[in-house]
Amino acid sequence: MSQLRHLLCAALLLAAASAHAQYVWIDDKGLRQYSDRPPPTTVPLNKILKSPRPLGQTTAPDVQGNPAVEVAAPGVLSPAKAPPTLADRESDFRKRQKEQQEAQQKQDQEAAIKKQACEAALRNRGTLQAGGRIKEYDAKGEPQYLSDEERAKRLAEANRAIAEHGCR
Protein backbone atom coordinates (compact mmCIF):
# COMPACT_ATOMS: atom_id res chain seq x y z
CA MET A 1 0.00 0.00 0.00
CA SER A 2 2.84 2.34 0.89
CA GLN A 3 4.52 1.70 -2.45
CA LEU A 4 1.30 2.40 -4.31
CA ARG A 5 0.95 5.70 -2.44
CA HIS A 6 4.53 6.70 -3.34
CA LEU A 7 3.96 5.76 -6.96
CA LEU A 8 0.73 7.79 -7.05
CA CYS A 9 2.48 10.81 -5.48
CA ALA A 10 5.31 10.59 -8.03
CA ALA A 11 2.80 10.45 -10.90
CA LEU A 12 0.95 13.49 -9.54
CA LEU A 13 4.21 15.43 -9.15
CA LEU A 14 5.19 14.65 -12.73
CA ALA A 15 1.77 15.76 -13.96
CA ALA A 16 1.96 18.94 -11.87
CA ALA A 17 5.45 19.74 -13.19
CA SER A 18 4.27 19.55 -16.78
CA ALA A 19 1.21 21.69 -16.01
CA HIS A 20 3.14 24.69 -14.69
CA ALA A 21 3.17 27.90 -16.70
CA GLN A 22 5.35 27.65 -19.80
CA TYR A 23 4.91 31.22 -21.06
CA VAL A 24 5.72 34.41 -19.17
CA TRP A 25 5.19 37.88 -20.62
CA ILE A 26 4.50 41.48 -19.63
CA ASP A 27 1.05 42.66 -20.69
CA ASP A 28 0.08 46.14 -21.86
CA LYS A 29 -0.63 47.19 -18.24
CA GLY A 30 2.89 46.22 -17.17
CA LEU A 31 1.77 43.12 -15.24
CA ARG A 32 3.61 39.81 -15.50
CA GLN A 33 1.38 37.10 -16.98
CA TYR A 34 1.89 33.32 -16.64
CA SER A 35 0.16 30.80 -18.88
CA ASP A 36 0.48 27.41 -20.49
CA ARG A 37 -0.80 29.01 -23.71
CA PRO A 38 1.09 31.41 -25.94
CA PRO A 39 0.56 35.13 -25.29
CA PRO A 40 -1.76 37.07 -27.60
CA THR A 41 -0.29 38.07 -30.94
CA THR A 42 -0.50 41.73 -29.88
CA VAL A 43 2.29 41.18 -27.32
CA PRO A 44 5.62 42.32 -28.83
CA LEU A 45 8.46 39.78 -28.81
CA ASN A 46 10.60 41.90 -26.48
CA LYS A 47 7.88 41.61 -23.80
CA ILE A 48 7.89 37.78 -23.84
CA LEU A 49 10.14 36.70 -20.97
CA LYS A 50 9.85 32.90 -21.23
CA SER A 51 8.70 30.58 -23.97
CA PRO A 52 9.14 26.84 -24.53
CA ARG A 53 10.02 27.60 -28.20
CA PRO A 54 12.38 30.12 -29.75
CA LEU A 55 10.84 33.58 -29.86
CA GLY A 56 8.83 34.22 -32.98
CA GLN A 57 7.84 30.56 -33.46
CA THR A 58 4.30 29.43 -32.90
CA THR A 59 2.46 26.24 -33.64
CA ALA A 60 -0.51 26.41 -35.93
CA PRO A 61 -2.59 23.85 -37.75
CA ASP A 62 -1.62 23.31 -41.37
CA VAL A 63 -4.01 23.62 -44.29
CA GLN A 64 -5.66 20.25 -43.61
CA GLY A 65 -5.97 20.93 -39.87
CA ASN A 66 -3.05 18.75 -38.74
CA PRO A 67 -1.69 20.28 -35.50
CA ALA A 68 1.83 21.33 -34.54
CA VAL A 69 3.21 22.75 -37.76
CA GLU A 70 5.91 25.34 -37.06
CA VAL A 71 5.26 28.72 -38.67
CA ALA A 72 6.93 32.07 -38.15
CA ALA A 73 4.94 34.69 -36.29
CA PRO A 74 3.96 37.81 -38.25
CA GLY A 75 6.84 40.24 -38.61
CA VAL A 76 9.51 37.65 -37.77
CA LEU A 77 12.00 36.29 -40.27
CA SER A 78 11.91 32.59 -40.94
CA PRO A 79 14.42 30.75 -38.71
CA ALA A 80 16.85 29.49 -41.33
CA LYS A 81 17.01 29.29 -45.08
CA ALA A 82 18.55 26.52 -47.06
CA PRO A 83 22.27 26.74 -47.80
CA PRO A 84 23.11 28.23 -51.19
CA THR A 85 23.37 25.88 -54.11
CA LEU A 86 26.51 25.49 -56.19
CA ALA A 87 24.94 27.65 -58.91
CA ASP A 88 24.17 30.40 -56.36
CA ARG A 89 27.71 30.29 -55.03
CA GLU A 90 29.12 30.43 -58.58
CA SER A 91 26.90 33.39 -59.42
CA ASP A 92 27.99 35.21 -56.25
CA PHE A 93 31.64 34.49 -57.07
CA ARG A 94 31.25 35.87 -60.61
CA LYS A 95 29.52 38.96 -59.24
CA ARG A 96 32.31 39.60 -56.72
CA GLN A 97 34.92 39.01 -59.43
CA LYS A 98 33.23 41.54 -61.75
CA GLU A 99 33.02 44.11 -58.93
CA GLN A 100 36.73 43.65 -58.19
CA GLN A 101 37.61 44.12 -61.88
CA GLU A 102 35.51 47.31 -62.07
CA ALA A 103 37.15 48.64 -58.90
CA GLN A 104 40.60 47.86 -60.33
CA GLN A 105 39.74 49.62 -63.62
CA LYS A 106 38.54 52.69 -61.72
CA GLN A 107 41.70 52.68 -59.61
CA ASP A 108 43.86 52.39 -62.76
CA GLN A 109 42.01 55.29 -64.40
CA GLU A 110 42.48 57.47 -61.32
CA ALA A 111 46.19 56.57 -61.24
CA ALA A 112 46.56 57.50 -64.95
CA ILE A 113 44.85 60.86 -64.38
CA LYS A 114 47.09 61.55 -61.38
CA LYS A 115 50.17 60.63 -63.40
CA GLN A 116 49.18 63.02 -66.22
CA ALA A 117 48.48 65.82 -63.73
CA CYS A 118 51.86 65.23 -62.07
CA GLU A 119 53.72 65.25 -65.38
CA ALA A 120 52.02 68.50 -66.43
CA ALA A 121 52.72 70.17 -63.06
CA LEU A 122 56.38 69.08 -63.09
CA ARG A 123 56.84 70.34 -66.69
CA ASN A 124 55.17 73.62 -65.78
CA ARG A 125 57.41 74.06 -62.72
CA GLY A 126 60.50 73.22 -64.80
CA THR A 127 59.55 75.83 -67.39
CA LEU A 128 58.86 78.48 -64.73
CA GLN A 129 62.16 77.78 -62.92
CA ALA A 130 64.27 77.81 -66.12
CA GLY A 131 64.75 81.55 -65.88
CA GLY A 132 63.96 82.60 -69.45
CA ARG A 133 61.16 84.89 -70.45
CA ILE A 134 57.82 83.16 -70.89
CA LYS A 135 55.58 84.26 -73.72
CA GLU A 136 51.85 83.57 -73.84
CA TYR A 137 49.20 84.56 -76.33
CA ASP A 138 46.07 86.41 -75.28
CA ALA A 139 42.54 85.94 -76.67
CA LYS A 140 43.31 88.15 -79.66
CA GLY A 141 46.40 86.09 -80.52
CA GLU A 142 48.88 88.76 -79.48
CA PRO A 143 51.99 87.71 -77.53
CA GLN A 144 52.41 88.77 -73.89
CA TYR A 145 55.31 88.11 -71.53
CA LEU A 146 54.85 87.04 -67.90
CA SER A 147 55.96 89.47 -65.23
CA ASP A 148 58.10 88.31 -62.29
CA GLU A 149 55.07 88.47 -59.97
CA GLU A 150 52.95 86.41 -62.36
CA ARG A 151 55.78 83.89 -62.75
CA ALA A 152 56.13 83.57 -58.92
CA LYS A 153 52.36 83.14 -58.58
CA ARG A 154 52.26 80.37 -61.22
CA LEU A 155 55.31 78.69 -59.71
CA ALA A 156 53.55 78.60 -56.31
CA GLU A 157 50.45 77.09 -58.00
CA ALA A 158 52.59 74.43 -59.70
CA ASN A 159 54.30 73.55 -56.39
CA ARG A 160 50.92 73.34 -54.67
CA ALA A 161 49.61 70.98 -57.42
CA ILE A 162 52.75 68.83 -57.11
CA ALA A 163 52.33 68.58 -53.36
CA GLU A 164 48.59 67.94 -53.66
CA HIS A 165 49.07 65.03 -56.06
CA GLY A 166 52.11 63.69 -54.21
CA CYS A 167 54.29 63.90 -57.32
CA ARG A 168 57.95 62.90 -57.20
Side-chain angles (χ1 to χ4, degrees):
M1 183 75 163
S2 174
Q3 283 182 331
L4 184 61
R5 190 180 318 180
H6 288 293
L7 189 60
L8 185 61
C9 285
L12 286 174
L13 285 175
L14 286 174
S18 66
H20 77 282
Q22 296 176 349
Y23 294 91
V24 181
W25 71 92
I26 305 292
D27 67 3
D28 56 347
K29 297 175 187 171
L31 299 174
R32 190 177 290 228
Q33 299 293 324
Y34 300 89
S35 176
D36 60 343
R37 297 178 186 228
T41 57
T42 57
V43 176
L45 291 177
N46 62 350
K47 298 284 187 173
I48 299 174
L49 304 177
K50 181 182 173 197
S51 173
R53 287 179 204 85
L55 289 178
Q57 295 294 311
T58 59
T59 57
D62 67 1
V63 178
Q64 289 130 3
N66 297 328
V69 174
E70 294 289 329
V71 295
V76 176
L77 296 175
S78 58
K81 69 179 202 182
T85 64
L86 184 59
D88 292 338
R89 291 178 19 205
E90 179 72 18
S91 172
D92 290 344
F93 172 74
R94 298 256 185 236
K95 183 179 176 184
R96 284 192 312 270
Q97 197 174 35
K98 183 178 179 185
E99 289 171 354
Q100 287 174 349
Q101 288 174 348
E102 289 172 354
Q104 184 64 41
Q105 287 175 348
K106 183 178 179 183
Q107 192 176 23
D108 291 345
Q109 287 174 346
E110 289 172 355
I113 290 170
K114 179 182 173 183
K115 182 179 178 184
Q116 288 175 349
C118 282
E119 289 172 354
L122 289 169
R123 265 194 321 270
N124 193 14
R125 181 175 72 177
T127 302
L128 292 168
Q129 287 177 339
R133 294 186 73 191
I134 298 176
K135 178 172 55 170
E136 288 184 339
Y137 295 93
D138 63 6
K140 296 177 186 175
E142 297 178 8
Q144 292 189 347
Y145 292 94
L146 290 182
S147 67
D148 289 339
E149 294 84 21
E150 184 65 26
R151 177 188 290 245
K153 179 181 171 187
R154 290 193 182 182
L155 183 60
E157 289 174 2
N159 286 330
R160 183 177 42 83
I162 291 169
E164 182 178 303
H165 292 294
C167 302
R168 295 180 186 173

